[in-house]
Amino acid sequence: MKQSPGFADNDLIARVLLDDDRNAFGELVRRHQSQLRASLRRMTGGNVELSDDVAQETFILAWKNIKSFRYEAKFSTWLYRIAFNAWQSEVRKKKEVLMDDARMPEQEAVGFVTESSGVRRDLVRAMEGLTVGEHNAIVQCYYNDLSHEEAAFVLGIPLGTVKTNILKAKEKMRAKLVAYGPEAGQGVAA
Amino acid sequence: MNNHLSLLRDKVDEVLKADALEQRMLHIDDDGFTLRVMDALLQKKRLSAAMRFAIPFGCTLIASIVALAFTPVGSFIFDAYMDLVTETVTPTLIGMAVVFFTLYAVSIGGALSED
C-alpha cells in the first residue's frame, strides 16, 4: 500500500497505542482504505456494498485489536489478514460453504473487473475454475503484492500450501489460455 | 506447440503481474468511508448484559431500601423482614415481595433490551 508523506504507519500506530489517538487511526484508515476496499472487491466478486461493509468491519476490528499488532508484519498485511478473516466470517454467516476444494462460482472468479480489455478478459476466463484456495493465493500474492510468507500469514495456512496453490492455479490458467488458442495468444502477447 | 507452451509458461506470470500492477494503480476515492469508520468507532461501547442488569437492579434496590427505611412507614422493610424470618405471610411481606419481583423484572427487561 502507498505510504503518504508525513508520519510512517508505525508512528501512527504508536500514537494510537500510547494516546488512544483517533486522528492517527483516521489517517491510517485514509491511507489504506483504497487498497483494502479494492482487495475486498476482488474477494467479493465486485460487490461494492458488501466489500465496503467488510472493509468497515475490518478497520473497527483493527482499532479494537491494535494492541495485538506486533510490528512483525506490515500494517497493511495485518489488515489484509483481518479483512480475510472478516470476509470468511461473513461467508459463514451467509452459510455459503467455502471449502478449499470447492470451485469458485463464476461470478466470484471474475474478480474486481474494472475494464474489459482483451488481456483482462482472457485472464478472467483463465481464473474461472480455480478452487477458492487457489484463487485466494493468486489474489494475495499478485493483486495484494504479498510474498508467499505474507500470504500464508494472511490466509492462515502453511507456506507450502500457498506455494502449491499458486503452482496449481498457474498450471490451470496456462491450460485455459492454451485452450483459447489464437485469441488467448494474442491477448497474452499484447 | 512446445514453443507456444514455453512462451505461455512465462507469460501467465507476466500477465498476472502486469494486470495486478494495473489494478493496484486504480484508486478508490474515500468518499466518506473514513468518516463512517470513525463514526462507528465513536459510538459508545455497549454494556454487557450482566451490567445492564446489575446497574438498574442495584440502583433501584438501594433507592428502595433507603426510601422504605426512612419514610414515615419506615418500619415496612423491617416488618417484612421479620415476617419472612418467622415465615408468616402478611400483607407487608406480600408487598415487599411485589416490590422485589417488580424490581427484578425491570432489571431483566433492561438486560435483554438491545438499546
Side-chain angles (χ1 to χ4, degrees):
Chain A
M1 291 186 186
K2 278 181 199 171
Q3 196 80 221
S4 306
F7 290 106
D9 279 0
N10 286 351
D11 296 330
L12 293 169
I13 293 164
R15 282 171 55 181
V16 174
L17 286 170
L18 291 173
D19 305 325
D20 213 23
D21 187 338
R22 284 172 196 266
N23 290 331
F25 189 75
E27 177 55 31
L28 285 167
V29 175
R30 238 183 312 279
R31 193 175 280 188
H32 293 281
Q33 60 84 22
S34 174
Q35 292 295 329
L36 187 79
R37 288 162 79 196
S39 173
L40 281 162
R41 283 183 195 185
R42 279 188 284 274
M43 281 193 238
T44 58
N47 186 331
V48 175
E49 199 178 324
L50 176 61
S51 60
D52 279 4
D53 283 349
V54 178
Q56 182 169 326
E57 178 67 14
T58 299
F59 283 114
I60 290 170
L61 286 170
W63 167 262
K64 285 180 180 168
N65 296 295
I66 202 155
K67 282 179 184 161
S68 67
F69 181 69
R70 294 276 174 266
Y71 300 94
E72 288 158 359
K74 283 186 284 186
F75 182 68
S76 56
T77 309
W78 188 67
L79 276 181
Y80 282 139
R81 183 185 169 95
I82 296 173
F84 180 73
N85 288 336
W87 164 235
Q88 292 294 91
S89 164
E90 191 63 33
V91 168
R92 275 194 293 273
K93 269 190 222 161
K94 288 172 181 282
K95 302 201 189 288
E96 292 171 13
V97 181
L98 278 180
M99 290 161 65
D100 195 50
D101 59 351
R103 295 205 169 273
M104 289 293 294
E106 285 202 3
Q107 190 197 346
E108 295 204 1
V110 169
F112 179 33
V113 182
T114 52
E115 56 183 77
S116 291
S117 66
V119 182
R120 267 205 72 71
R121 260 201 313 275
D122 290 343
L123 200 57
V124 163
R125 282 181 195 162
M127 284 179 81
E128 286 171 6
L130 297 185
T131 65
V132 174
E134 291 159 358
H135 184 267
N136 286 340
I138 290 286
V139 166
Q140 298 300 336
C141 291
Y142 284 92
Y143 290 90
N144 291 350
D145 199 25
L146 302 181
S147 68
H148 289 171
E149 287 81 3
E150 288 171 326
F153 170 75
V154 168
L155 298 171
I157 57 175
L159 175 61
T161 309
V162 173
K163 289 180 179 175
T164 306
N165 281 340
I166 292 283
L167 281 175
K168 280 184 184 171
K170 279 164 49 172
E171 205 62 49
K172 282 183 187 175
M173 291 172 74
R174 200 168 289 137
K176 284 245 182 182
L177 289 169
V178 170
Y180 285 120
E183 189 195 347
Q186 282 166 13
V188 165
Chain B
M1 188 64 185
N2 279 343
N3 286 343
H4 181 58
L5 269 174
S6 67
L7 185 70
L8 214 51
R9 197 176 301 279
D10 300 324
K11 285 289 179 185
V12 171
D13 192 62
E14 279 177 28
V15 168
L16 270 171
K17 280 180 180 166
D19 186 57
L21 185 65
E22 190 183 311
Q23 293 278 307
R24 283 200 299 276
M25 291 296 135
L26 298 171
H27 181 79
I28 298 177
D29 286 335
D30 186 284
D31 203 19
F33 177 82
T34 301
L35 203 60
R36 285 197 296 280
V37 171
M38 300 314 289
D39 278 349
L41 291 181
L42 285 171
Q43 281 175 7
K44 285 180 185 169
K45 274 188 187 174
R46 285 190 60 215
L47 292 169
S48 67
M51 288 304 286
R52 289 204 305 276
F53 170 81
I55 291 172
F57 185 82
C59 292
T60 318
L61 184 64
I62 291 165
S64 302
I65 290 170
V66 169
L68 290 171
F70 294 101
T71 50
V73 287
S75 60
F76 177 81
I77 195 165
F78 302 111
D79 291 347
Y81 176 73
M82 290 311 293
D83 292 341
L84 189 65
V85 170
T86 57
E87 295 179 1
T88 312
V89 179
T90 63
T92 309
L93 180 60
I94 293 169
M96 193 63 204
V98 168
V99 168
F100 179 81
F101 284 111
T102 304
L103 175 59
Y104 188 73
V106 167
S107 302
I108 289 283
L112 295 176
S113 163
E114 287 297 315
D115 295 326

